[in-house]
Amino acid sequence: MTDMSKPSAASSEKQLRPGLWATVNERYPGSMIHKDDVVPLAQLKKPISECRVAFLSTSGVQPKGTLPFDTVHPVGDYSFRRVPSDADVDDLEIHQLKYPTFGADRDLNVIFPIERLRELRDEGVIGELNANHYTFIGYNMDPVELELTLAEQVAEALAHDEVDVALAAPA
Amino acid sequence: MIRGPMSLAYLKEAVENGDQAALIRYVRLHVGDGSPEAGAKEIDKAWVEALKALITMPATDQQFIDDTLKGQDHATLAHLFFRLHFYLVKHSGEWIHDGHV
Amino acid sequence: MQRAAERRGIATVSPSVARDVTEHAKPPRAVFLPFMMGHLFGVPFHTELQRHILMEMISLLETAEESGTIRDLDLSWAKARKEGKEIERRASQ
């Protein structure tokens, strides 16, 4: 295992779908995020075993019975859903068109590891799980709108929940 | 590599310039999961599916249609149009939207 | 979104199956997995692998010193699939 902040030919070759950024950006000009800078790291104030953890996901996972994510709108859906961290996987469903769900359809933990997180909590690896995880869809044509609205709203909700750590998973 | 224009800005610009080709390409990309060729077929598929549903002239709720068209705003109807496209495509039984963009 | 959270003092870490996308977006901390899209945590019912990836993410939270760090894990999609099939074969017996 190596830590690398710079692109490496060897590891890029391992990407199953090479050139994804360029492909999507060619099809949907400007829809892909590109940053020239990095954000300063927030420092952990306590051990993970004492932290409150939330899972963020572009998977489109949502509780059955909540308004389905809008997967057909031509410029995307900038809303989010709260998924109770104690939810039964059978009470959740996926509304998303843009990634293969054949694995997640059989075991949701492949994309949304809600059961594994509960196990880590029960074992004391992580302090506690936030009452809710947060989900949205990845199909959004305007990264500026996404940063100004969805990202700020979810970050604000996490701060309100006094979350220490967020595991943020793009599908 | 395009880094400047955001996609929404690109679309708005196309609307302002009357760039019909760019807008058609975008719609086809959207309904074709990133492939304009697939998108064109998908649009045909939706229309054929709609035609097939009506070819035996079953009774339909024309009052509902009229009320909806008169009672809803333009954007809601446009949104519904996208929903109906995907509804008809799904009804056709041939579904390409499995995430393999 | 990771940036918005970090600015509020919330530490984030992200799994990624697209290293190039991650290199462009430069999230604070990321773990690269050479897996298929939609399969960040591997394959169905391979709980050990799913857990391993979460543990690696947590470990990176504790050890990353520079923002923009991408950690590459010594995993392979072919191996994960093979192990997943074996787990399912055993479970069906």
Side-chain angles (χ1 to χ4, degrees):
Chain A
M1 188 195 308
T2 49
D3 273 14
M4 278 178 283
S5 54
K6 295 277 187 294
S8 86
S11 56
S12 294
E13 277 169 22
K14 290 185 77 179
Q15 185 170 320
L16 283 199
R17 181 77 192 276
L20 189 65
W21 191 95
T23 303
V24 178
N25 205 54
E26 190 272 326
R27 291 172 180 172
Y28 304 95
S31 69
M32 296 299 281
I33 294 171
H34 172 85
K35 297 283 187 186
D36 289 313
D37 61 346
V38 292
V39 71
L41 289 185
Q43 297 302 318
L44 285 178
K45 295 170 200 73
K46 46 192 168 185
I48 302 280
S49 58
E50 293 173 22
C51 284
R52 180 177 295 171
V53 176
F55 192 79
L56 319 181
S57 169
T58 68
S59 58
V61 169
Q62 58 184 114
K64 287 178 182 169
T66 55
L67 184 68
F69 283 113
D70 187 351
T71 56
V72 309
H73 195 291
V75 296
D77 182 344
Y78 300 82
S79 67
F80 66 87
R81 304 285 181 276
R82 288 181 169 88
V83 177
S85 56
D86 62 358
D88 191 306
V89 289
D90 292 334
D91 294 330
L92 302 175
E93 60 189 3
I94 298 175
H95 286 278
Q96 170 68 295
L97 300 178
K98 305 293 180 185
Y99 69 86
T101 57
F102 59 85
D105 289 341
R106 299 175 59 222
D107 176 6
L108 194 69
N109 293 283
V110 163
I111 193 72
F112 194 76
I114 188 168
E115 293 178 313
R116 298 294 88 71
L117 286 167
R118 285 200 285 263
E119 289 160 12
L120 294 178
R121 186 263 324 269
D122 293 345
E123 292 165 25
V125 175
I126 53 184
E128 59 177 319
L129 293 174
N130 192 42
N132 291 301
H133 298 310
Y134 289 85
T135 61
F136 23 92
I137 62 171
Y139 185 76
N140 294 302
M141 280 300 103
D142 189 352
V144 173
E145 173 75 8
L146 189 135
E147 272 194 85
L148 293 177
T149 60
L150 178 59
E152 286 297 315
Q153 287 163 14
V154 171
E156 204 48 49
L158 294 172
H160 178 267
D161 294 348
E162 297 179 3
V163 164
D164 301 301
V165 164
L167 310 179
Chain B
M1 190 185 305
I2 302 162
R3 285 183 184 170
M6 295 304 140
S7 224
L8 204 53
Y10 160 86
L11 285 175
K12 285 176 180 166
E13 193 182 302
V15 172
E16 274 168 30
N17 297 339
D19 188 348
Q20 198 75 356
L23 296 172
I24 290 170
R25 177 178 156 78
Y26 185 81
V27 171
R28 288 178 179 173
L29 275 168
H30 176 56
V31 300
D33 276 7
S35 162
E37 297 76 27
K41 284 185 195 160
E42 288 287 288
I43 291 165
D44 287 347
K45 200 160 70 181
W47 281 103
V48 167
E49 197 61 24
L51 174 65
K52 278 158 63 181
L54 296 173
I55 213 144
T56 58
M57 295 186 73
T60 58
D61 189 343
Q62 293 195 64
Q63 191 63 51
F64 163 78
I65 296 167
D66 199 52
D67 290 347
T68 304
L69 288 173
K70 281 180 181 153
Q72 297 293 334
D73 63 90
H74 182 65
T76 299
L77 291 171
H79 200 162
L80 177 62
F81 190 68
F82 274 99
R83 286 289 291 266
L84 288 173
H85 165 85
F86 282 95
Y87 163 81
L88 288 164
V89 164
K90 188 159 231 173
H91 196 269
S92 78
E94 190 189 322
W95 185 250
I96 64 164
H97 307 284
D98 54 3
H100 289 92
V101 292
Chain C
M1 184 161 303
Q2 291 92 326
R3 289 165 180 248
E6 298 272 341
R7 282 197 288 269
R8 287 168 173 80
I10 299 162
T12 69
V13 59
S14 300
S16 163
V17 294
R19 203 180 199 285
D20 60 341
V21 174
T22 304
E23 285 163 10
H24 275 282
K26 298 183 181 58
R29 307 168 194 80
V31 171
F32 171 64
L33 308 149
F35 293 166
M36 178 175 278
M37 278 177 73
H39 296 71
L40 294 167
F41 296 91
V43 293
F45 316 116
H46 197 333
T47 56
E48 195 184 321
L49 177 61
Q50 294 166 3
R51 179 194 167 92
H52 172 69
I53 294 163
L54 283 169
M55 291 300 287
E56 290 289 348
M57 289 167 64
I58 289 168
S59 156
L60 185 60
L61 275 170
E62 294 172 320
T63 57
E65 289 177 359
E66 279 180 40
S67 189
T69 299
I70 303 175
R71 178 174 286 182
D72 293 279
L73 301 187
D74 187 21
L75 296 169
S76 98
W77 179 238
K79 185 162 174 275
R81 289 187 67 187
K82 197 175 159 199
E83 289 172 355
K85 278 183 189 153
E86 179 62 20
I87 287 164
E88 292 196 50
R89 192 186 64 78
R90 267 187 257 140
S92 67
Q93 280 177 353

